[in-house]
Amino acid sequence: MAFTKLKSVYRQRTGNQFEASDYASFGIIDDEGKLTNAGALLADESPIRHSRLFCTRWNGLDKASGVVDAIDDHEFSGGLINLLQDGTEFVANHSKKAWKKIPDGRIEMPEYPERAVLEGIVNALIHRNYLEVGSEIHIDMFDDRLEIYSPGGMFDGTRVQDRDLMNIPSRRRNPVIADIFSRLKYMDRRGSGFKKIIGDYRQQPQYEEHMKPEFNSDYDQFILVLKNLNYHLNFTGSDEKTTKKTMKKIVIKTTRKKNEKNINEIINMMLKNPQITVKEMAEILGITVDGVRYHIKKLKASGRIERVGPDRGGSWKVNYQEKLPR
């Protein structure tokens, strides 16, 4: 078996060279030098035939037959890293990214956040039941959503929809594969994949609570549903008034978040260095000097900060710190 893809990705993502001793430390071979099940799944040409990925971009909102059932479909085979890259590339090729120009840059609005897609596919690959022959991982893309199906439910037998998604401990069906993906920096060992998917969605400017990702499972399957964040937006012009109103809300929301972040950064910089200048803060934040002065004016008016001494040679005094992030 060859492991060209594993070696190249390991070097690319960690900066380390894959050594001969790593075959054993990664769990690719056992103490007798024989290929393990995990090794077989990670080989460039995986001999495990049911380790495949089916990707389909359906035409519409379901799989019901019509004039054109599917716009595109692919069946991928090979090692798990190949499947991960093939899956993320398929989603990227069938996704669009809207954007709107604003005075200090632009707001990007992807249909599906990249990190959420990556976490979803990684979760399917490392937690699927590889003992279940005759079933594969599926990525089904519709106009309004993306579904990732994986054979095998939760490892502890519970239903994910009955659990607190923010507090699910990490229990791995395939610990060696999970460890290798962690070494490749594709996942975190602490079982925070669900949190990252939800968090990535909530960070998007067009996100609303009804767009929250959905997790469903039973004893033999796991399904992740990622909503198309731009589906409710109209970019075709059939309802221009509604679109403009929605875009205005997105711009206001994004600007507010950016201002809050800059304000917290300014206060943190003043706490660390009370003598820091406005110009230095502007360079660190990547905004104009006038932008920093605007935030400082607001902070002074609210009483959160004050200037002690002259503009030159003076210092900053922070009065309120309780809202600062940890």
Side-chain angles (χ1 to χ4, degrees):
M1 294 291 104
F3 295 88
T4 306
K5 178 64 69 174
L6 172 64
K7 294 176 180 179
S8 63
V9 169
Y10 182 63
R11 179 171 186 125
Q12 176 187 359
R13 296 183 66 84
T14 69
N16 298 321
Q17 187 76 31
F18 191 92
E19 306 291 345
S21 59
D22 288 328
Y23 285 110
S25 66
F26 274 54
I28 293 173
I29 59 174
D30 60 20
D31 294 337
E32 297 178 358
K34 295 180 180 180
L35 190 70
T36 63
N37 290 332
L41 286 166
L42 286 156
D44 292 341
E45 300 294 334
S46 175
I48 300 179
R49 299 188 62 182
H50 60 277
S51 177
R52 294 179 294 176
L53 174 64
F54 288 0
C55 298
T56 307
R57 174 56 171 100
W58 297 93
N59 181 36
L61 302 179
D62 52 44
K63 300 178 183 180
S65 60
V67 178
V68 179
D69 294 341
I71 297 173
D72 190 19
D73 70 288
H74 283 282
E75 177 183 331
F76 299 107
S77 60
L80 295 186
I81 299 173
N82 299 72
L83 297 183
L84 174 61
Q85 294 182 343
D86 290 334
T88 53
E89 184 177 351
F90 183 89
V91 172
N93 288 340
H94 291 283
S95 302
K96 298 177 182 178
K97 181 183 289 185
W99 59 271
K100 180 176 177 60
K101 191 173 181 180
I102 56 177
D104 60 345
R106 72 180 193 178
I107 301 171
E108 293 192 347
M109 298 174 288
E111 290 182 340
Y112 303 102
E114 291 182 11
R115 183 67 187 185
V117 172
L118 177 67
E119 288 284 345
I121 300 175
V122 166
N123 183 74
L125 290 170
I126 67 174
H127 293 300
R128 73 154 285 184
N129 184 359
Y130 286 98
L131 297 178
E132 188 173 326
V133 180
S135 185
E136 304 83 16
I137 293 173
H138 289 254
I139 297 177
D140 292 301
M141 298 185 69
F142 303 91
D143 289 356
D144 65 337
R145 69 194 186 282
L146 179 158
E147 296 182 0
I148 302 176
Y149 163 86
S150 178
M154 295 285 285
F155 185 55
D156 60 6
T158 61
R159 300 196 314 166
V160 67
Q161 57 268 34
D162 299 331
R163 305 284 297 275
D164 177 4
L165 295 174
M166 308 307 286
N167 293 287
I168 297 181
S170 177
R171 296 192 65 184
R172 306 177 183 90
R173 176 178 281 111
N174 306 299
V176 177
I177 296 173
D179 180 68
I180 292 174
F181 270 69
S182 177
R183 291 180 186 229
L184 296 175
K185 301 186 184 301
Y186 278 129
M187 64 165 288
D188 194 314
R189 287 181 175 144
R190 294 172 293 182
S192 58
F194 295 164
K195 292 182 184 178
K196 288 180 179 178
I197 292 172
I198 295 172
D200 201 10
Y201 258 75
R202 286 177 172 165
Q203 290 177 7
Q204 303 308 313
Q206 69 273 47
Y207 175 80
E208 295 177 7
E209 198 59 28
H210 67 85
M211 303 173 186
K212 184 178 178 180
E214 297 177 0
F215 303 81
N216 294 281
S217 70
D218 55 32
Y219 74 96
D220 66 348
Q221 65 178 359
F222 190 103
I223 299 175
L224 168 63
V225 180
L226 300 178
K227 309 292 182 64
N228 182 340
L229 290 168
N230 293 339
Y231 181 70
H232 71 295
L233 297 176
N234 175 27
F235 298 113
T236 62
S238 61
D239 191 356
E240 187 175 347
K241 185 177 180 180
T242 302
T243 302
K244 286 184 176 180
K245 186 177 180 181
T246 303
M247 290 302 300
K248 184 178 180 180
K249 288 182 179 179
I250 291 173
V251 171
I252 292 173
K253 180 180 177 182
T254 303
T255 302
R256 185 182 296 118
K257 282 186 175 181
K258 186 178 292 186
N259 286 341
E260 290 175 354
K261 180 180 179 181
N262 286 338
I263 286 172
N264 282 332
E265 289 294 333
I266 287 171
I267 293 176
N268 280 328
M269 285 187 281
M270 290 178 176
L271 286 170
K272 293 178 181 177
N273 179 13
Q275 284 77 41
I276 192 169
T277 66
V278 171
K279 183 178 179 181
E280 289 171 337
M281 287 189 279
E283 291 176 351
I284 293 172
L285 292 173
I287 62 176
T288 64
V289 169
D290 287 340
V292 175
R293 285 174 178 158
Y294 170 80
H295 293 311
I296 289 176
K297 183 179 179 181
K298 293 285 186 180
L299 287 168
K300 284 182 177 179
S302 65
R304 294 184 71 182
I305 67 167
E306 59 182 280
R307 183 71 179 178
V308 179
D311 290 341
R312 291 188 178 183
S315 61
W316 302 103
K317 180 182 178 184
V318 177
N319 296 321
Y320 298 97
Q321 305 176 30
E322 69 275 5
K323 292 185 179 180
L324 288 179
R326 294 180 179 180

